[in-house]
Amino acid sequence: MHRAGDRAGLPQPGLEQIMGFVLSGADAPTKPSPFGKLLDDPLMSEGTLALWDPRHHLCAFTGVPIQSQVIGNAAKNQAAIVLGLDASLLDFTASVTVTGTTEIKIERSGKGGLHTILSQVNETVSNNKCVFNGPSALRDYLFNLVPSGAVGICIWQRVTRSAIAAGPSASTTHLVSSSSGNVFLWAAPGGSLNGASPLGTFSANSAEGARFNTIGINAWSGTKPGSSNSTGLQIGGSPGGVTGNANNNKKSSNILYRVQIEDLTKSKRSNSGFGGTVTEEYNAFQAAMYAQFQKEFAAGGAFYGDTFTDPATFP
């Protein structure tokens, strides 16, 4: 594996072979991770399996997602190493359910985030949503990581309109849930992430309604579903209504900026890059993600001062 500063030994010019993958110059990793390893994003680790961030060239698309649209997974090259698959098979696919023009509005914010405005007057159905579904191989891998291993998830959001206080704390952004009540990971609207037997959770609010959430999970709540396909496993998505009728006209509106998911048994963030227990790995993951979040949402940061439709104009 080449480390930063070792590029002189790579073929110049032309294609570069990095970690077993031949990459074109446009896609070749150019930013070293904190451990000096060439990865596709400076916040990634060896265990990163999924990453969506609108700033990343491997995630870029214009407009709003449409049904069955391929959405880039910026971690696909690293995930391919972990899963032993071709990276081209590890992007996301959009699943978009919009039943009318007055119940849900999906837009891109000025900074590229995915803004989902849910009506608190006209949302009369429970399945208006926009999610990024992972390929079956990635869904199965994540599904089987628990309880045999552990997974870490980080979500950066901005709440643009709060949920109605009397409403239940239902999921608007989640990784795995099922109709039988099994929950692997879910995020209450504008609140903290919740899961089964967490290694740790951390939530923080910053200026302008920004929300930071991380969680480490190594167990299921209740009985584990029989397969990943039966759970509606989703590895990312803009916050949307996927809950029951009790939450109609009560949910928050949110902008999704970043979702990152890691195999904590392979991430090697702790102990100066040598790795440690899954709890140590979760703590290192959380610290790295939060430090960058604070920079990105502070004055001068990439997501500071974002612009978007005022949800009050979409009652």
Side-chain angles (χ1 to χ4, degrees):
M1 183 180 297
H2 293 282
R3 295 181 178 271
D6 290 342
R7 296 177 65 88
L10 293 169
Q12 300 286 338
L15 298 179
E16 297 177 325
Q17 186 168 357
I18 299 175
M19 295 189 291
F21 286 87
V22 178
L23 307 172
S24 69
D27 292 331
T30 57
K31 296 180 180 179
S33 74
F35 321 122
K37 299 167 184 173
L38 289 172
L39 301 173
D40 284 322
D41 185 272
L43 284 180
M44 282 176 49
S45 76
E46 292 184 58
T48 307
L49 300 172
L51 170 59
W52 185 81
D53 185 316
R55 300 167 299 168
H56 202 289
H57 73 283
L58 292 177
C59 299
F61 66 94
T62 58
V64 299
I66 61 174
Q67 182 66 23
S68 300
Q69 179 179 356
V70 174
I71 305 294
N73 173 10
K76 63 183 177 182
N77 290 321
Q78 188 60 32
I81 296 172
V82 176
L83 274 64
L85 297 173
D86 188 283
S88 65
L89 303 176
L90 296 173
D91 284 320
F92 309 118
T93 301
S95 175
V96 182
T97 304
V98 178
T99 59
T101 60
T102 62
E103 297 193 347
I104 182 172
K105 177 181 176 65
I106 304 171
E107 66 176 9
R108 297 297 288 271
S109 72
K111 301 286 189 176
L114 277 172
H115 188 200
T116 302
I117 306 174
L118 293 166
S119 174
Q120 294 183 341
V121 174
N122 300 311
E123 194 204 5
T124 59
V125 297
S126 62
N127 203 34
N128 277 322
K129 61 183 180 179
C130 173
V131 300
F132 294 167
N133 289 314
S136 59
L138 187 52
R139 293 202 315 266
D140 291 345
Y141 185 87
L142 287 169
F143 182 83
N144 290 322
L145 264 179
V146 178
S148 59
V151 61
I153 303 97
C154 178
I155 300 177
W156 297 0
Q157 296 173 273
R158 182 188 305 276
V159 176
T160 58
R161 177 165 62 188
S162 297
I164 291 178
S169 58
S171 169
T172 59
T173 304
H174 62 272
L175 179 63
V176 177
S177 66
S178 74
S179 59
S180 62
N182 294 293
V183 177
F184 176 39
L185 171 76
W186 62 279
S192 60
L193 299 190
N194 299 270
S197 302
L199 301 165
T201 60
F202 181 79
S203 302
N205 304 341
S206 78
E208 301 183 343
R211 298 291 190 269
F212 173 90
N213 296 295
T214 55
I215 191 167
I217 297 290
N218 64 342
W220 290 81
S221 64
T223 302
K224 182 176 180 177
S227 73
S228 63
N229 293 331
S230 68
T231 66
L233 180 60
Q234 299 161 355
I235 63 171
S238 62
V242 291
T243 52
N245 293 333
N247 291 305
N248 289 347
N249 296 326
K250 297 176 182 178
K251 300 188 210 57
S252 63
S253 296
N254 307 265
I255 303 174
L256 180 73
Y257 294 105
R258 187 179 180 102
V259 175
Q260 185 161 332
I261 304 176
E262 305 214 341
D263 178 348
L264 295 176
T265 69
K266 298 183 182 299
S267 51
K268 296 183 181 179
R269 290 180 179 274
S270 65
N271 299 313
S272 302
F274 288 97
T277 67
V278 289
T279 299
E280 290 175 322
E281 289 301 302
Y282 166 73
N283 290 335
F285 171 65
Q286 179 268 308
M289 298 298 108
Y290 186 53
Q292 191 64 30
F293 168 85
Q294 291 177 296
K295 294 178 182 177
E296 302 291 17
F297 286 89
F303 297 129
Y304 180 80
D306 199 3
T307 56
F308 46 87
T309 299
D310 183 351
T313 65
F314 190 79

